[in-house]
Amino acid sequence: HHPATAPVLAAWAALPAWARGAAAMPDTTTLCHGDLHLGQLIRHPAPDGPWLLIDVDDLGTGVPAWDLARPAAWYACGLLPPEEWHRFLTAYRASGGPAVPADGDPWPVLDVPARALTAQTAARAVTKAVLADRPLDEVEGRLVDACARMASVRPDAPRG
């Protein structure tokens, strides 16, 4: 009965069936990391060696945009500063990453995965706050606020 439950559930319900695991994903042929986040990137040899992607135990095939869902969601929620998002996205594109087009607007392919991860992360945040009998912190509140905005605008069909 937490007040943040309604916007999170509404954001989840607004997602396409494939993003909620209720239908087949539109692409299951592209190799994906499966748990990409900024902590999975290291330089070897440190500090000036090339960037390497580590921890590939969730490697599989799927929609490559899911690999960028976390940083995209953080950016969309205002948790990742625009300059850091731009630097990350520029480096990703320069390395030939398959999740987004080499140029142009990345959001047609990132929108649904970023929304899904935002709703999932917000749901976990609300659950943790309820279990700890505490109010949502600032970051958790931003996630729930993003869910409220997302629920009012349905995502486009996936492209790419």
Side-chain angles (χ1 to χ4, degrees):
H1 299 295
H2 193 281
T5 302
V8 173
L9 290 175
W12 184 255
L15 292 168
W18 65 268
R20 292 181 278 111
M25 288 192 139
D27 172 12
T28 58
T29 61
T30 304
L31 189 61
C32 302
H33 184 272
D35 185 30
L36 179 65
H37 56 81
L38 302 180
Q40 304 286 27
L41 295 167
I42 63 165
R43 284 200 138 158
H44 184 76
D48 299 318
W51 285 101
L52 301 173
L53 187 57
I54 62 169
D55 192 16
V56 294
D57 49 322
D58 290 321
L59 188 70
T61 57
V63 177
W66 287 96
D67 276 347
L68 301 186
R70 188 173 306 172
W74 289 357
Y75 168 69
C77 291
L79 300 172
L80 183 65
E83 56 279 355
E84 290 180 28
W85 167 249
H86 179 71
R87 186 173 60 218
F88 170 77
L89 187 61
T90 299
Y92 181 86
R93 285 174 157 168
S95 70
V100 294
D103 56 16
D105 185 3
W107 286 103
V109 294
L110 293 177
D111 185 43
V112 170
R115 286 172 181 251
L117 189 72
T118 299
Q120 178 189 29
T121 306
R124 292 182 65 156
V126 171
T127 301
K128 288 178 182 180
V130 168
L131 290 174
D133 194 28
R134 63 167 176 78
L136 297 175
D137 65 25
E138 180 184 351
V139 170
E140 294 165 338
R142 283 188 178 192
L143 291 165
V144 171
D145 291 345
C147 286
R149 291 189 306 273
M150 291 176 350
S152 67
V153 179
R154 294 215 177 258
D156 291 331
R159 298 175 211 136

